[in-house]
């Protein structure tokens, strides 16, 4: 049974290459026929791992292909998932399974509402990859920059799917996680405490050690939010964890900082935006978080980037 990977970007190519090299059947779904033509001219994708580039002629198609889809890895950005899933919905076979790789929260619920017939498995990954824009085939050349781990889980059904064996075979480090929502909330809280401030102070993660009081208050508000959302485990020792991440990644620019610096749309609506919407939903006043959101929205507006 073939995997379909929708979104031939950083993570989509990283997954597709590893499945293909293990002999697991996989197909890439590209945005439209112009993108498919360009992909086919490149003859497939290239994965660069530890400085070694290897080419994988993974077959490509568009959403218009008629073949049914049983197993779909959704690897586009959170703000693209709704239109992406709408395009392939008619192809989903009965009992289809979807793996949702998006960062943040909100997009997963939107997908599940659009395809109630499918099983939606949520993922949270610490792997890192980026497209090598400098190379001639940069669009389809992905650099595996950070080895990590992927947690997968289904809040509605804690039975692990049989295809986890494909991931094992492909050397994709993973774990079935009955508390996937807690993981996604914790990651969202870490993101909210670090990434927006690195954009507003134009600094590396380590620069936030000069703003300890602000980070501490944000963590206290995020902790209140996590409790109100029924995620007390995700709130445990949040401030200490945020400090640990700031120190461990002091020399790095956060993903949101990199997106803004390169003029790319951020996933704000599914991170800080989602946190503020959840606080409002629970009637919770979190003044620092709300002010941070407002400052970030103004900053993105000033940069000419979408702020929702
Ligand atoms: P990316 O490099 O921007 O790739 C997204 C891909 O989706 C692009 O190739 C885009 O096509 C494609 N796409 C969008 N709409 C589509 C559609 N309707 N049909 C077909 N393809 C479509 O993004 P990414 O970095 O892999 O991130 C994907 C998700 O994983 C995000 O939520 C991100 O936060 C999360 N994540 C990423 C990393 C990482 O290291 N990259 C790590 C952890 C989590 P075009 O090229 O045509 O625009």
């Amino acid at each position: 049974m073939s995997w379909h990977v929708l979104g031939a970007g950083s993570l989509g190519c990283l997954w597709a290459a590893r499945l293909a090299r293990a002999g697991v059947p996989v197909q890439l779904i590209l945005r439209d026929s112009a993108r498919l033509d360009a992909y086919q001219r490149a003859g497939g994708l290239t994965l660069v791992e530890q400085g070694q580039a290897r080419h994988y002629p993974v077959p490509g198609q568009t959403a218009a292909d008629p073949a049914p889809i049983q197993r779909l890895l959704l690897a586009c950005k959170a703000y693209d998932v709704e239109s992406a899933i709408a395009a392939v919905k008619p192809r989903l076979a009965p009992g289809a399974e979807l793996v949702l790789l998006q960062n943040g929260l909100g997009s997963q619920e939107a997908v599940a509402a659009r395809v109630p017939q499918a099983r939606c498995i949520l993922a949270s990954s610490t792997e890192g990859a980026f497209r090598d824009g400098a190379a001639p085939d940069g669009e389809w050349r992905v650099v595996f920059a950070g080895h990590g781990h992927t947690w997968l889980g289904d809040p509605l059904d804690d039975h692990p799917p049989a295809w986890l064996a494909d991931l094992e075979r492909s050397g994709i480090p993973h774990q079935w996680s009955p508390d996937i929502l807690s993981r996604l909330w914790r990651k969202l809280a870490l993101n909210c405490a670090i990434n927006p401030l690195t954009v507003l102070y134009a600094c590396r993660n380590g620069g936030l050690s000069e703003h300890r009081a602000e980070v501490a208050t944000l963590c206290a508000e995020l902790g209140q939010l996590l409790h109100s959302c029924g995620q007390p485990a995700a709130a445990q020792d949040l401030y200490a964890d945020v400090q640990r991440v700031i120190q461990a990644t002091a020399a790095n620019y956060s993903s949101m900082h990199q997106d803004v610096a390169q003029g790319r749309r951020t996933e704000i609506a599914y991170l800080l935006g989602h946190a503020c919407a959840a606080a409002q939903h629970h009637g919770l006043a979190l003044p620092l978080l709300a002010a941070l959101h407002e400052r970030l929205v103004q900053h993105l507006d000033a940069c000419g980037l979408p702020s929702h």
Side-chain angles (χ1 to χ4, degrees):
M1 193 178 297
S2 182
W3 281 78
H4 285 82
V5 174
L6 191 157
S10 311
L11 279 198
C13 287
L14 177 62
W15 278 65
R18 290 180 294 182
L19 290 166
R21 79 176 165 205
V24 176
V26 55
Q27 322 242 352
L28 271 177
I29 302 179
L30 289 115
R31 190 185 280 279
D32 53 33
S33 51
R35 302 287 284 151
L36 178 60
D37 287 349
Y39 174 76
Q40 284 172 339
R41 275 196 302 278
L45 63 91
T46 300
L47 181 66
V48 183
E49 204 173 351
Q50 284 158 354
Q52 299 271 17
R54 267 192 73 186
H55 188 74
Y56 299 92
V58 174
Q61 56 176 241
T62 66
D65 190 285
I69 296 174
Q70 183 67 49
R71 223 164 261 170
L72 178 69
L73 180 75
L74 208 48
C76 52
K77 289 281 170 66
Y79 47 76
D80 276 330
V81 288
E82 286 205 66
S83 57
I85 199 67
V88 294
K89 182 176 172 175
R91 294 177 57 188
L92 295 181
E97 291 172 296
L98 272 53
V99 180
L100 311 180
L101 273 184
Q102 287 63 42
N103 212 350
L105 282 160
S107 69
Q108 300 88 345
E109 253 179 282
V111 171
R114 278 184 179 262
V115 288
Q117 75 275 31
R119 182 181 189 195
C120 289
I121 287 162
L122 318 189
S124 177
S125 182
T126 57
E127 293 194 314
F130 62 88
R131 289 197 257 192
D132 184 4
D137 60 346
E139 291 269 41
W140 325 110
R141 188 181 174 95
V142 167
V143 180
F144 192 0
H147 288 258
H149 202 86
T150 300
W151 286 267
L152 301 142
D154 177 353
L156 304 177
D157 175 357
D158 60 12
H159 276 86
W163 47 255
L164 289 183
D166 285 351
L167 308 194
E168 196 68 45
R169 222 171 113 191
S170 307
I172 298 174
H174 67 281
Q175 193 179 325
W176 184 250
S177 169
D179 61 352
I180 189 69
L181 277 177
S182 176
R183 285 193 176 276
L184 284 162
W185 271 109
R186 176 66 160 217
K187 195 172 174 203
L188 180 146
L190 283 161
N191 185 297
C192 289
I194 297 174
N195 293 29
L197 287 177
T198 64
V199 172
L200 295 169
Y201 292 125
C203 66
R204 295 174 198 262
N205 291 356
L208 297 188
S209 46
E210 285 168 34
H211 303 276
R212 271 177 204 277
E214 194 172 4
V215 173
T217 316
L218 267 178
C219 288
E221 290 194 359
L222 286 161
Q224 284 183 57
L225 175 65
L226 293 169
H227 279 279
S228 297
C229 293
Q231 300 293 338
Q236 238 175 357
D237 301 324
L238 178 62
Y239 179 60
D241 205 14
V242 166
Q243 287 305 331
R244 184 192 58 76
V245 172
I246 287 173
Q247 275 158 28
T249 62
N252 299 355
Y253 284 110
S254 73
S255 54
M256 192 178 266
H257 185 290
Q258 291 178 42
D259 282 341
V260 175
Q262 289 168 32
R264 290 191 304 241
R265 182 174 179 178
T266 69
E267 295 181 300
I268 174 179
Y270 304 90
L271 296 161
L272 187 53
H274 185 82
C276 290
Q280 202 168 12
H281 176 77
H282 289 287
L284 204 60
L286 301 175
L288 195 65
L289 204 66
L292 181 67
H293 185 233
E294 190 49 40
R295 283 160 69 198
L296 186 62
V297 164
Q298 281 174 13
H299 184 86
L300 295 175
D301 286 346
C303 295
L305 291 170
S307 53
H308 53 274

